[in-house]
Amino acid sequence: MTFRAVQHPIAASTVWKILHTVGIDPAPRRTGPTWTEFLTNQAEGIIAVDFFHLDTVLGRRLYAPAFLEHSTRRLHIAGVTVHPTRDWAVRQARNLATDLGTRMESLRFLLRDRDSKYGQSFDAVFEAEEIEILKTAPRAPRMNAHCERAIGTIRREALDHVLIMNEAHARHVLATYQRHYNEHRPHQTLNQLPPGADQQSIAVHESEGRRLLRTRVLGVINEYRYAAWPAATTFRAPQVPGRVQRHLTPLPPPPPPATDPR
């Protein structure tokens, strides 16, 4: 039997499928750290980005880019649009760079996928700040797991419970959830503290104050905090429209019992 070699280019994905079918695993990496070790060691200098979509009640699909700082877990939802063109993505990248300001100096890597929404102009915004662009492998969302998890959290805690009316409504909902995510929501990596815990005031101890409730995202999310009791002793009844308001004051102490003159 005679074999004749045929020169034909084969894609790397085809080779991977053949090896995977016959049960041959890829060779282990012989030099350098693993991807998990790299992300852990370089967390302070990595910011990740990924696009996610949301649908309105009328079936219109909107897109938004989510940036996540690995070290602080701070979330940045850059904007919302119906047509995520490359020029629009570049404007959002420039707005993010302006918002971060001097914090851009601590970043070394931008982690993103190979979506066509990104382009050379998008990468140039970060390369101008000496930030290296890291692209994930095709169809490998686990390489950007932190950002993927943050997007999943946005869906589970907010978008799955709210009917989005239009683009303006989507901006309002996402901006409100971004404040909740950065200022109040606890994170396991940060010892159950929010990313902005260093900027928050010292909370009042539970035994020394009262617990206050504040709702976010149209009542979907509840936030609790403790505040000191007011120093005033006068209590005001709730304001009810159309009714005469009365002010309740503490009752005077009862008189001492009468003593027997005998």
Side-chain angles (χ1 to χ4, degrees):
M1 183 178 295
T2 304
F3 293 94
R4 183 171 56 183
V6 179
Q7 294 183 355
H8 184 75
I10 301 177
S13 58
T14 304
V15 177
W16 178 88
K17 290 180 181 179
I18 297 174
L19 296 177
H20 182 72
T21 303
V22 298
I24 301 177
D25 296 329
R29 188 170 182 174
R30 297 178 175 85
T31 59
T34 63
W35 183 250
T36 303
E37 293 173 347
F38 173 81
L39 294 181
T40 303
N41 297 335
Q42 305 294 334
E44 295 184 359
I46 294 179
I47 182 170
V49 60
D50 195 9
F51 272 85
F52 68 98
H53 69 270
L54 58 156
D55 298 326
T56 65
V57 293
L58 299 179
R60 197 175 191 182
R61 176 154 293 187
L62 306 176
Y63 298 87
F67 293 84
L68 182 71
E69 302 178 40
H70 277 206
S71 60
T72 62
R73 291 299 192 272
R74 188 177 294 275
L75 177 66
H76 306 274
I77 303 177
V80 180
T81 184
V82 180
H83 305 289
T85 61
R86 288 190 175 185
D87 294 338
W88 183 86
V90 171
R91 291 196 298 270
Q92 307 314 310
R94 292 173 178 171
N95 293 339
L96 175 70
T98 303
D99 295 339
L100 292 178
T102 57
R103 292 169 55 190
M104 289 283 290
E105 300 176 357
S106 62
L107 300 177
R108 297 181 53 193
F109 303 99
L110 172 70
L111 182 61
R112 69 170 180 85
D113 56 21
R114 300 173 183 268
D115 198 318
S116 59
K117 301 180 186 64
Y118 311 108
Q120 296 181 354
S121 300
F122 181 89
D123 295 341
V125 175
F126 297 93
E127 291 174 348
E129 302 291 339
E130 299 183 354
I131 297 177
E132 182 179 352
I133 307 299
L134 298 179
K135 300 179 182 179
T136 61
R139 299 182 180 180
R142 292 186 177 181
M143 297 186 68
N144 198 2
H146 294 297
C147 199
E148 294 283 354
R149 182 181 178 89
I151 292 175
T153 301
I154 297 173
R155 295 190 183 279
R156 290 188 299 270
E157 296 186 357
L159 297 181
D160 290 348
H161 307 278
V162 178
L163 296 177
I164 302 299
M165 303 301 297
N166 48 39
E167 188 173 334
H169 185 208
R171 289 196 188 95
H172 173 73
V173 170
L174 293 177
T176 303
Y177 183 80
Q178 175 182 309
R179 289 193 297 269
H180 166 76
Y181 190 95
N182 292 334
E183 300 176 4
H184 190 85
R185 187 182 185 277
H187 295 261
Q188 185 176 3
T189 307
L190 306 177
N191 297 324
Q192 302 302 326
L193 294 175
D198 54 341
Q199 302 176 2
Q200 292 181 349
S201 58
I202 301 176
V204 181
H205 193 270
E206 180 178 358
S207 61
E208 300 177 356
R210 54 176 178 168
R211 189 171 66 171
L212 302 180
L213 170 64
R214 181 173 54 182
T215 60
R216 293 284 194 182
V217 193
L218 302 178
V220 174
I221 299 174
N222 295 331
E223 295 180 357
Y224 298 91
R225 65 184 180 88
Y226 291 97
W229 290 103
T233 58
T234 300
F235 300 91
R236 184 180 297 274
Q239 299 293 329
V240 180
R243 295 185 180 179
V244 179
Q245 305 299 326
R246 297 180 180 179
H247 300 280
L248 304 180
T249 56
L251 296 176
T259 57
D260 191 351
R262 295 178 297 178

